[in-house]
Structures are given as C-alpha cells and as structure tokens.
Amino acid sequence: MRLFSFYDEHGSIVAGRLDGDVVRIGEWVDDLSGAFGDSADGYLASLRSAGTEVGGALQRPAPAIPRPGKIVCVGLNYREHAAEGGRDAPDRPLLFAKFGNTVVGDGRPVVRPAGSHALDLEVELGVVIGRRAQRVTAEQAPDHVAGYIVVNDVSARDWQGSKPALREGEKGDGQWLRAKSSDTFLPTGPVFVTADELDPAAGLRLRSWRIPGGGPEAGVPQPMQDGTTADLIWSVPELIAYISAAITLEPGDVIATGTPAGVGVFREPPIFLEPGDRARCEIDGIGTVENPIIDGSSMADDRPAAAVAARPATRA
C-alpha cells in the first residue's frame, strides 16, 4: 500500500491512499506518527479498507512523517560512498541524529543558514518504525518496520569539517549538530510505502540531481548520485538490531540509512547547492522530494526558518 500526505485547503494534514493515480482519503490525522500509537498495524489495516474520494483542494504535499519522534541517521553506510571520501568502511554503524525542526515537505524551501557556504544533498532511504523495538535481533527486525520514505539528508559540509569544503583558515564544528540538524535539513517526500511492497535487500535505486538556478545550465538537472541499496554495508534489519540494542525505537521513528556515492563535496571540483538551485532526490518504488534552496542570510522574517518554510502555500 502507498500512502500520500498532503495539506487540505484549511492547512490540515490529510493521510490518503494512492490507488493508481487516484488519491483516496483514509483518515484525517494530525500526523502519521501520532496515528500509529503502540503499533502501526491497526492504523495501516484501517487505511487498506477505508477510503472516500478526496474532496476540496489539495494545496501541497506534506512530509509522509511530519513529526517523527526520533530521527536516527547512519553515516558511511554505502561502500562506494566511503571509498569516494578516501575512507575504509567503518567496523560498525556510524550513528548521528537529526531533530524534528529539519523536516520539510516536497516543494518547500531548504534554507542555507547564514555562515555556511557548502550545502550538499544526500538521497537516503528512510525506514519508518511501526512497532516498538528494544533489543531486537536482525531476524526479528522486519516485524518492526512499518514502511519506507525518501529523505534528503542535507548537510553543511563546511560546518561538518569536510576538508574539500573548507576555505583557508576555516575549521569544522568538531561535531555534526549544526551541519546536520539546521532548520529544513531533512526534506521528506509525501509518499509512504508499506514494508510488504518493498525489499531494500533486492536493491532499490537511489538518485539525486542538482538543478541549477542560474547560468547557462539553468533548469537542466545535473545528475549527482546514482546508487542502489544493494551497496549498503549494514542492511535495514542489521541497523535496527544495532540501534535498538541501546536506543529504543518507537512507532513513527525514522532511520535514515545512509547515502550512496556521488555527493557534491567529493566531486572535483566540489559542487555545492546555491540559492536559486533545486535539489531532487528519488528512490524507485517510492517517489521523489524536490526543494528550492534559499539564502537564510537574506531572510527578513526573524521567526525560525523551519516555521517560515512550513507555512501552508499553494505549490506552483
């Protein structure tokens, strides 16, 4: 089953079901993660059978999981990505976290914060937890997966401390908090695909593009990443087992499983996202998320950037 999140004309998030090209309402909810409760099973079962044709105007897509409880991310989890950065594969998963302020939907701005000049895109398979997982084995882990989404792990490479992104005299933060968890740094597609419809072990294709906003190539998608989940170092079940050994995973939590090779920071010369560009990420069988890049230093509104980016608006 494929679910689709969108805003109605009142600014409320609607969880719908995709039947071919037809979106059908299953239930009106504040967010999917809140609807899961102790387990996603009952909620997803109700959506399989329920449905009324959508009425009213669909203003714009919403993130499939608008307010995840936890966002656990995995670094260097693709062999070719580790190699392109001149690193050996880690001997265990490299974990970090993002916060809820990073989540924005398809079409909403990604804000390059003032002080950063090296924004990069990272297409990733997001795993949505459907049942509480605490110290589960890899064999048990699939029973705890509700489904999958596409996310873009936006990264400020200069703040992260990546050498190709640093100008003379610059240093990284020494940790990844700003570099990974600044406002709007996790664009999330509107489509949620239940676990019974996809098998990451079979090899899902992930791709990303930078779409320049200016110059002779303006509007022409520039291919960046093109990989497959068959290149994962640690599989989804292995990640859930490793994470849940120390961190209890709850329904609605998201695991961002890592990114394939082709990111901008390791290009020669490096390619970074500039204001006016668009970043597009796609996973076969799930869909896309595409977002414009804007300059945070030029924003007149003094409210948090994520709040500005989340304002309901009709998508052009």
Side-chain angles (χ1 to χ4, degrees):
M1 179 174 61
R2 293 165 58 83
L3 300 180
F4 183 77
S5 291
F6 54 90
Y7 293 93
D8 68 4
E9 64 271 29
H10 306 295
S12 299
I13 296 175
V14 178
R17 191 177 74 230
L18 289 172
D19 294 333
D21 293 331
V22 180
V23 181
R24 302 179 70 89
I25 290 176
E27 184 176 345
W28 295 70
V29 295
D30 289 331
D31 64 274
L32 290 178
S33 56
F36 286 171
D38 293 332
S39 171
D41 294 349
Y43 177 69
L44 295 178
S46 70
L47 291 186
R48 289 183 188 278
S49 57
T52 304
E53 291 192 9
V54 169
L58 309 184
Q59 296 297 303
R60 60 180 174 89
I65 304 294
R67 286 179 288 278
K70 290 188 287 293
I71 305 165
V72 183
C73 305
V74 187
L76 298 179
N77 196 28
Y78 282 76
R79 293 174 182 85
E80 292 186 5
H81 176 52
E84 73 175 345
R87 304 184 188 184
D88 294 329
D91 59 4
R92 60 184 181 275
L94 172 62
L95 303 182
F96 61 96
K98 285 184 178 253
F99 302 140
N101 63 298
T102 62
V103 178
V104 291
D106 181 58
R108 306 310 298 164
V110 167
V111 180
R112 188 181 71 175
S116 176
H117 58 80
L119 218 59
D120 207 350
L121 78 175
E122 297 186 39
V123 60
E124 303 202 8
L125 175 69
V127 178
V128 181
I129 298 299
R131 185 176 300 149
R132 191 170 191 262
Q134 185 178 48
R135 295 186 292 276
V136 303
T137 66
E139 291 72 26
Q140 296 167 330
D143 293 335
H144 297 263
V145 176
Y148 303 100
I149 57 177
V150 57
V151 299
N152 180 1
D153 174 20
V154 176
S155 304
R157 297 298 192 185
D158 44 353
W159 291 351
Q160 192 178 11
S162 297
K163 289 183 179 179
L166 297 176
R167 295 171 177 168
E168 186 176 354
E170 284 186 332
K171 295 182 180 179
D173 286 356
Q175 40 72 28
W176 292 3
L177 186 64
R178 284 199 309 164
K180 293 287 191 175
S181 274
S182 291
D183 292 342
T184 75
F185 272 25
L186 193 70
T188 299
V191 176
F192 168 93
V193 181
T194 52
D196 58 320
E197 292 206 8
L198 286 180
D199 180 13
L204 302 176
R205 188 181 185 188
L206 306 88
R207 290 179 289 174
S208 68
W209 296 263
R210 168 184 171 254
I211 305 173
E217 302 299 320
V220 179
Q222 177 183 19
M224 297 293 288
Q225 298 169 276
D226 191 347
T228 168
T229 53
D231 190 43
L232 282 169
I233 297 172
W234 290 282
S235 68
V236 170
E238 289 170 332
L239 289 175
I240 292 174
Y242 181 81
I243 295 166
S244 73
I247 302 168
T248 299
L249 295 169
E250 303 286 354
D253 287 351
V254 172
I255 301 173
T257 55
T259 201
V263 295
V265 70
F266 296 131
R267 298 295 184 102
E268 190 61 50
I271 298 172
F272 296 121
L273 299 168
E274 300 291 338
D277 291 350
R278 299 182 72 87
R280 180 191 299 168
C281 294
E282 177 180 276
I283 301 179
D284 284 359
I286 302 178
T288 64
V289 60
E290 182 177 321
N291 304 82
I293 312 302
I294 64 174
D295 185 1
S297 64
S298 65
M299 294 176 65
D301 197 327
D302 62 358
R303 287 174 292 170
V308 175
R311 288 183 301 201
T314 301
R315 186 181 178 190

